[in-house]
Amino acid sequence: MSLPHAILTALLEKPSSGLELTRRFDKSIGYFWSATHQQIYRELGRLEAEGHIRALPSEQPARGQKKSYEVLPAGRAELARWTAASQDPKPHRDVMLLRLRAAAVVGTAGLEADLRRHLDLHRLQLAEYQEIEQRDFPPGKDAPQDRLRHLVLRAGIDLETFWTQWLTHALEELAELPGSERA
Amino acid sequence: MSLPHAILTALLEKPSSGLELTRRFDKSIGYFWSATHQQIYRELGRLEAEGHIRALPSEQPARGQKKSYEVLPAGRAELARWTAASQDPKPHRDVMLLRLRAAAVVGTAGLEADLRRHLDLHRLQLAEYQEIEQRDFPPGKDAPQDRLRHLVLRAGIDLETFWTQWLTHALEELAELPGSERA
DNA sequence: CCCGCTTATGCAACTAGTTGCAAAACGGGG
DNA sequence: CCCCGTTTTGCAACTAGTTGCATAAGCGGG
């Protein structure tokens, strides 16, 4: 149950409307939590009903009109509680690893193209993160908040780096395999 | 929709009952796909209904009786199709990264203990994988199937290695932060 | 002025995964 | 032989996330 807390964090960083939140979830927030606009609007409604956030009064709340939200003290308290609470790590699920394990049994036919495609996607993502790092975390900018946010970004960068290396290695192995399309 | 394919892969590697599958999902299969026994039984039922697997005839199918399954040709074909089909990578979601980003806003109070706990868990998992590697993939064992499975295990090992390093780094940063429990 | 495109919000139905619980058979102890 | 704990199977309800679509307002061009 982390989406509401992701939204609270984002709103504390900057009060926003649903669409603005969606855009931010597609960018910086997206590298550790993704969400669609439908999820976000639903959750904004819930958070408002619970008294954790409220719509900024200035704007009128009609459909098709921008409606911005800000976090209330109760919301900040809930976020602090959640952040400090112990949580078990969720088991990971990775489709590509599963496909490779399946390929060990039913053959690797057709896999290579998709491995290459994923490699390109991860390279692209990595480049994007590195650009963010250059732009937002130049050396010397180390207020506590920046250090923590930089740490999170580093995780994103290192994970993408790992995947590009692993996929490269996988493609090499695949190329060396004897009959590449054994049934 | 990958659970049925994880099950097909596991059953091709070795026909099993629901409980045996559950045990294997807790061990080797678990490092890229996890599932509870409830999920597995439900899915076994579906796969049987679809004609992808069948119960081994030898055993009688009463409740509380072991019932083992094997993959039928249709199931193998479906797995091969799925393995070769192009799939988009799923966006990642990581609660710990989210919590750290939240901590940049609401303070790091209470985080350290859980970071340490996660570090221990990842170290434990890493040790377990390394043990599997020593046992199952001694140097020189490189039939095609082994190479692919080893590659998958390497991903698990390298990911756990990454997390132990990152968490260690995070703890260092946290220790250096000025007021460790600023609200 | 009204048509169609974009922006912004949102509902509803579906899919996948989780949690809680229970029933049937087996096996050992009294 | 029967009671009770364990093994194995399974249903049902719930939670979270995804997909598809709808509705309202603003805006620019013919």
Side-chain angles (χ1 to χ4, degrees):
Chain A
M1 246 246 315
S2 311
L3 177 57
H5 303 99
I7 291 178
L8 286 173
T9 305
L11 286 181
L12 279 170
E13 290 175 353
K14 178 172 169 7
S16 311
S17 68
L19 197 66
E20 284 162 349
L21 277 177
T22 303
R23 299 233 168 85
R24 292 169 62 201
F25 270 79
D26 285 341
K27 294 193 315 173
S28 62
I29 299 174
Y31 60 80
F32 53 87
W33 207 270
S34 72
T36 61
H37 77 270
Q38 290 92 335
Q39 271 182 285
I40 289 168
Y41 283 117
R42 196 197 319 183
E43 207 59 47
L44 283 172
R46 284 183 197 155
L47 285 167
E48 191 177 26
E50 286 167 0
H52 288 157
I53 63 175
R54 72 162 176 195
L56 288 180
S58 59
E59 334 254 1
Q60 61 274 57
R63 207 175 173 121
Q65 302 269 70
K66 255 193 200 172
K67 194 163 56 166
S68 281
Y69 292 91
E70 66 178 355
V71 178
L72 295 170
R76 176 182 278 266
E78 164 58 22
L79 183 60
R81 186 204 60 72
W82 176 84
T83 305
S86 173
Q87 290 191 52
D88 287 333
K90 289 265 159 243
H92 11 38
R93 296 202 168 97
D94 189 286
V95 177
M96 189 50 97
L97 293 180
L98 177 54
R99 284 168 74 193
L100 221 66
R101 176 90 170 223
V105 185
V106 298
T108 58
L111 245 185
E112 193 186 330
D114 216 33
L115 284 171
R116 265 184 223 294
R117 194 172 67 89
H118 280 228
L119 178 54
D120 286 344
L121 289 171
H122 284 291
R123 279 210 250 255
L124 222 62
Q125 189 69 72
L126 177 56
E128 205 172 299
Y129 289 167
Q130 283 170 335
E131 203 179 305
I132 297 178
E133 188 179 35
Q134 300 245 314
R135 171 161 41 81
D136 293 356
F137 303 100
K141 200 187 179 211
D142 54 358
Q145 303 194 351
D146 293 321
R147 298 189 74 138
L148 289 177
R149 283 199 264 260
H150 192 178
L151 196 61
V152 175
L153 179 57
R154 285 301 324 174
I157 291 175
D158 291 349
L159 279 171
E160 292 301 332
T161 303
F162 159 73
W163 281 114
T164 56
Q165 285 171 355
W166 184 84
L167 283 166
T168 304
H169 188 189
L171 281 163
E172 286 166 12
E173 287 276 8
L174 222 61
E176 282 176 29
L177 244 48
S180 273
E181 77 285 34
R182 25 165 258 106
Chain B
M1 248 245 315
S2 310
L3 176 58
H5 303 97
I7 292 178
L8 286 173
T9 305
L11 286 181
L12 278 170
E13 289 176 353
K14 177 172 169 8
S16 311
S17 68
L19 196 66
E20 284 162 349
L21 277 177
T22 304
R23 299 233 167 86
R24 293 169 61 200
F25 270 80
D26 286 341
K27 294 193 315 172
S28 64
I29 299 175
Y31 59 82
F32 53 88
W33 207 268
S34 73
T36 62
H37 77 270
Q38 290 91 335
Q39 273 181 284
I40 289 168
Y41 283 116
R42 195 196 321 181
E43 207 58 48
L44 283 172
R46 284 182 197 156
L47 284 167
E48 191 177 25
E50 287 167 357
H52 288 156
I53 63 175
R54 71 163 179 196
L56 289 180
S58 58
E59 335 256 358
Q60 62 272 58
R63 210 176 170 119
Q65 302 267 71
K66 255 194 198 171
K67 195 163 56 167
S68 281
Y69 293 91
E70 67 178 354
V71 178
L72 295 171
R76 174 181 278 266
E78 164 57 23
L79 183 60
R81 186 203 61 72
W82 177 84
T83 305
S86 172
Q87 288 191 54
D88 286 332
K90 287 268 159 239
H92 10 39
R93 295 202 169 95
D94 189 286
V95 177
M96 189 50 96
L97 293 180
L98 177 54
R99 284 168 75 192
L100 221 68
R101 175 91 171 222
V105 184
V106 298
T108 58
L111 246 185
E112 192 185 330
D114 216 34
L115 284 170
R116 264 183 226 295
R117 195 172 65 90
H118 280 229
L119 177 53
D120 286 343
L121 289 172
H122 283 293
R123 280 210 249 255
L124 223 62
Q125 189 68 73
L126 176 56
E128 204 171 300
Y129 289 168
Q130 282 169 336
E131 202 179 306
I132 296 177
E133 188 179 34
Q134 301 245 313
R135 172 161 40 83
D136 292 356
F137 303 100
K141 200 187 179 213
D142 54 356
Q145 301 194 352
D146 293 321
R147 299 190 74 137
L148 290 176
R149 283 200 264 261
H150 192 180
L151 196 61
V152 174
L153 178 58
R154 284 301 326 171
I157 291 175
D158 291 349
L159 279 171
E160 293 301 331
T161 302
F162 159 74
W163 281 113
T164 57
Q165 286 171 354
W166 184 84
L167 284 165
T168 303
H169 188 191
L171 281 163
E172 286 166 12
E173 287 276 6
L174 221 62
E176 283 176 28
L177 244 48
S180 273
E181 77 285 36
R182 25 165 258 108

